Structure formats: C-alpha cells, structure tokens
Amino acid sequence: MVPNLRFNQFNSAWERNSIGDLINEVKEYTSSFEKYPLYSFTIESGVTPKTERYERNFLVKKDGDLFKVVHPNNFVMNPMNLRFGAINYSKQTIDVSVSGYYDIFEIDNSNYNDFWNAYFKAPQTINTYNSIATGSLVEKKRVHFSQLKSLKFYLPSNDEKEKINSFIKLLDDRISVQIKIINDLVLQKKCIISSLLKSVQDNEKIMLKDILFDYNIKTTINNEYPVLSSTASGMYLQSEYFNKEASSDNTIGYKIIPRGYCTYRSMSDTGLFTFNMQELVEKGIVSPAYPVFSANDDYINEFIILYLNNSSYIKKQILELKSGGTRFALPFSTLCTLKIPKLDKEKQLSLIKTITAFERKIENEEMILKALHQQKNFLLNNMFI
C-alpha cells in the first residue's frame, strides 16, 4: 500500500510491520524531584513544566519510587486518553519525572520522532485506538501499552521516514513560531492596556451608580431566546459551550440580555470577576443570578468592560469589600459602589480604538494559526496509511 500524498522520489510500497519490534520501554522509577523535576503531560503541550495552578508537589507522598523518569526524546503515553491523542515525545533538554501511570518508551532509536509523533496522532491511527480500547464505560476506555506494541503499521523506508520527519518538524516549528507571535501580541496588548489605564488613573472619580443602569427584564415564554453563558474567556451560546441547550428545562424567568449589553457571574472563589458584553445575538438570556446592565449616554459599554476587566484599581476595591465567608459576592448594587475615572466619550473611543487595533492583529494571527493546523490535519490524513 502507498499513502495518498508522498514525496516524488519515493514510489515503493509501504510494508506492514509490528511496531513492537521498534519499541523499547523505559521503566525507571524515582521519587527524587530534585534530580528529576516533576512535570505535567498534556494533550496540548506534551511534557511541560507544571503551572502554579497544578503544582501539587506538597500533596505527593514520597513513600517509594512512584514516578517515572522521562529522558529527552522519550515518548510518553497516557493509556486513558490515547484515543484523544495523548502521546508525544519529550522536547525537554533535561531528565524529568511524570506520573507513574504513564507509559514511557523510545521508538526507532529516537531517529524519527516527528514522523512517529505525527503517525501516532493521524486520524486513521486514532480510529485504531478507538477500535481496540477496553473498559466497561466509554469515558474510561483505555489502550494498554501492550496493545499499542501489538499494532501493525504500514511503514516506509528509513529514507522516506527521514524525509517525512524533516517536513513535519518544519511544519511544527512554524506552528510554534505562530503561537509565539500570538502570545507576544497578547502580552503586548496587556501592557498597552495597563499603560493606557494608568494614564487616566489620576482623573477625578465617578461612582458606577451614576453611570450604569440595571436591565432586569425577564422572559415570560419558555425557550424564547437562546441561552448564553458568561465565562472567564467570553460569552458563548450555551448549546455550543456545554453541548446542551440549558441547565434547566424551563427558561421562564431568565434575564434577557440584548446585543451590546453587559453581564457577569456575581460569585467568585478568588475575588476575580469577568465582565462580558453580549455580541452574539440580537437578544439572548442568562441565568437569573447574573446581573445585566448597560451604561448611560455618557459612557461606552466597551470602555466599561475594558476598565472593569483590566483595572488594578477596580480589583483593589473589590478585594476591600470582602467580609466573611469563603467566596466573594458582587451583586449589581455592590458593583455600583465602585469608582472609575471620569472620561469624555472622545477619550473613551480613543482608548477602545487602540485596543481594538491590537485585537484585530491578534485575530489575524489566530486565523493564520488555524490555517496551519488545517494544513497539518490534511497532511496527517494523506501522508500516512
């Protein structure tokens, strides 16, 4: 058999071989995080340093060597999530450790890791994982390491492997560069927002109760408008975000939020609140627990959202309001007691225009990244058997 797409200089058929003959399991255990730092393994990033959010070293009991050592270029596989592409090789330059649940191995003497990394995640290979996964519940199905080693793959010559390996690496490197471009722009945007807001921080202050008004119109008909979710990353149609229409069968009494109006989740475990402006539909509905509001004619909602989400002055005021309990509550009446700088509309528009230009640049770069991923998916569909 031959793939649909290949380099011109190769024309011989790919031969079916057991990959178990090419795999060497790496089974070294450790409990020394000083010698082998404890890393995470994710579908998105592979072997990666633990973030503060997931730093749980203090929970680890070091009774015995329970963690596995991963050397540079070793593959790591998560049996539970292999069906979703949880396999990758370590691009770290040091030896690290990961959960002992994962399987660690090298393949082909680590000569063609980008070839294998792509092949292991090709759509036809994912289909194979799904066909051999075992487990009584769908969400707990797994592919054991022994099953992976027993698989037979159609394989090209080493020369063709090397050609594909180099090509995939170039594409992955380009994707990495594009991700860095986006991350750098996001960081620049944060810095510019911080600078712009600081430039108006010494202005005379005005209370939000003199700017905002509560929009408390509720539905009287079930499923009258689409249900929306206000999240830390923006507003979404609930049917798309949670893959369901509503958390309740009855949406009578939900709050209506017209296009251009604002909302937020009024409870927080951390004191951080995210304010969103609704730009998805002409009219949507949100949970009755979510305040819905808009600004008067002197202020622009885009500026209000920009300031509420990014101002350290606002965050300081919210934290000072905390009293008792383990959670932060910010009902609309309390929000209205906060203060923001006085600004004329022209200045508000100027700030928004600057930020919007950066957002459009980021969106353009994200479209390029999406196109690169689409190109890679096409290649994965056609360069492997």
Side-chain angles (χ1 to χ4, degrees):
M1 292 187 68
V2 296
N4 295 329
L5 188 66
R6 67 194 308 197
F7 295 99
N8 290 334
Q9 64 265 45
F10 302 104
N11 50 38
S12 58
W14 288 25
E15 296 181 1
R16 198 162 184 252
N17 293 289
S18 172
I19 64 168
D21 297 334
L22 301 171
I23 287 177
N24 291 314
E25 185 176 9
V26 177
K27 213 167 188 179
E28 301 175 35
Y29 290 93
T30 186
S31 60
S32 175
F33 300 144
E34 292 76 20
K35 186 175 181 181
Y36 304 107
L38 183 59
Y39 272 45
S40 295
F41 178 67
T42 67
I43 294 175
E44 298 81 11
S45 305
V47 179
T48 184
K50 282 185 174 292
T51 62
E52 289 183 7
R53 179 181 175 187
Y54 295 106
E55 183 57 67
R56 294 177 290 181
N57 284 3
F58 64 92
L59 295 176
V60 175
K61 294 181 179 179
K62 299 183 181 180
D63 299 332
D65 295 335
L66 304 176
F67 297 84
K68 287 183 179 176
V69 175
V70 180
H71 301 290
N73 292 313
N74 283 172
F75 270 89
V76 180
M77 162 190 150
N78 182 344
M80 185 69 77
N81 292 322
L82 184 61
R83 296 178 299 130
F84 309 108
I87 187 168
N88 208 328
Y89 72 93
S90 175
K91 299 177 179 68
Q92 304 301 321
T93 57
I94 60 171
D95 297 335
V96 300
S97 61
V98 295
S99 166
Y101 176 73
Y102 301 143
D103 294 298
I104 317 298
F105 65 93
E106 63 176 14
I107 185 167
D108 248 356
N109 297 315
S110 300
N111 289 325
Y112 315 105
N113 275 1
D114 290 289
F115 166 86
W116 283 108
N117 196 39
Y119 208 165
F120 282 140
K121 298 173 185 175
Q124 53 271 46
T125 312
I126 296 294
N127 290 338
T128 300
Y129 300 151
N130 280 306
S131 70
I132 64 173
T134 59
S136 56
L137 299 174
V138 172
E139 62 270 20
K140 291 191 176 182
K141 284 184 177 291
R142 68 193 69 190
V143 178
H144 295 282
F145 186 54
S146 58
Q147 293 175 288
L148 178 73
K149 291 194 297 182
S150 70
L151 293 178
K152 291 186 176 181
F153 281 49
Y154 284 97
L155 299 175
S157 66
N158 285 344
D159 286 343
E160 190 168 1
K161 276 186 197 173
E162 178 58 40
K163 190 74 174 178
I164 297 171
N165 187 82
S166 298
F167 180 73
I168 294 293
K169 187 177 187 308
L170 282 173
L171 183 56
D172 283 343
D173 287 347
R174 176 65 185 88
I175 289 173
S176 296
V177 168
Q178 190 62 29
I179 291 172
K180 186 178 185 304
I181 289 171
I182 293 169
N183 290 341
D184 288 347
L185 283 172
V186 170
L187 183 59
Q188 289 178 43
K189 176 188 166 185
K190 288 181 179 179
C191 292
I192 288 174
I193 289 175
S194 177
S195 177
L196 290 174
L197 295 186
K198 282 182 180 178
S199 71
V200 300
Q201 192 54 51
D202 292 334
N203 288 27
E204 181 184 350
K205 304 299 187 293
I206 183 172
M207 293 185 72
L208 285 174
K209 70 180 181 64
D210 298 322
I211 298 172
L212 306 181
F213 63 89
D214 186 20
Y215 188 83
N216 195 24
I217 308 300
K218 298 181 179 180
T219 56
T220 56
I221 302 172
N222 193 35
N223 297 321
E224 185 175 7
Y225 301 110
V227 182
L228 306 176
S229 291
S230 181
T231 76
S233 57
M235 290 206 74
Y236 300 91
L237 290 166
Q238 192 175 88
S239 58
E240 296 177 359
Y241 191 73
F242 292 108
N243 197 28
K244 62 181 181 180
E245 287 302 324
S247 56
S248 171
D249 292 332
N250 185 1
T251 61
I252 294 175
Y254 274 51
K255 289 185 178 179
I256 297 173
I257 177 167
R259 185 187 295 276
Y261 279 54
C262 308
T263 188
Y264 65 100
R265 183 172 177 263
S266 60
M267 296 295 295
S268 169
D269 294 324
T270 62
L272 297 177
F273 295 85
T274 300
F275 301 85
N276 290 307
M277 190 168 75
Q278 197 277 103
E279 299 179 280
L280 297 172
V281 291
E282 284 307 310
K283 285 185 178 180
I285 54 176
V286 292
S287 164
Y290 284 34
V292 176
F293 65 91
S294 185
N296 62 27
D297 291 340
D298 294 328
Y299 277 79
I300 304 166
N301 279 344
E302 287 92 339
F303 172 76
I304 296 295
I305 293 297
L306 175 71
Y307 195 86
L308 291 179
N309 283 332
N310 296 281
S311 168
S312 58
Y313 179 61
I314 284 290
K315 291 180 174 63
K316 179 175 180 291
Q317 292 178 77
I318 291 174
L319 291 174
E320 289 174 348
L321 292 170
K322 178 75 163 62
S323 59
T326 58
R327 305 184 74 197
F328 290 79
L330 188 67
F332 183 71
S333 58
T334 304
L335 175 68
C336 285
T337 66
L338 305 182
K339 297 177 181 179
I340 70 170
K342 273 189 175 182
L343 288 177
D344 59 41
K345 267 193 171 182
E346 185 177 347
K347 181 62 176 178
Q348 294 175 52
L349 285 169
S350 174
L351 295 177
I352 294 166
K353 184 178 179 181
T354 301
I355 302 306
T356 300
F358 253 87
E359 289 175 342
R360 286 176 180 167
K361 175 62 176 171
I362 292 171
E363 288 171 2
N364 289 338
E365 298 298 338
E366 287 174 339
M367 288 176 62
I368 293 172
L369 179 61
K370 182 179 179 180
L372 288 169
H373 280 302
Q374 289 173 339
Q375 290 173 15
K376 183 176 180 180
N377 289 338
F378 172 80
L379 293 171
L380 293 183
N381 269 304
N382 290 278
M383 291 186 74
F384 300 95
I385 299 175

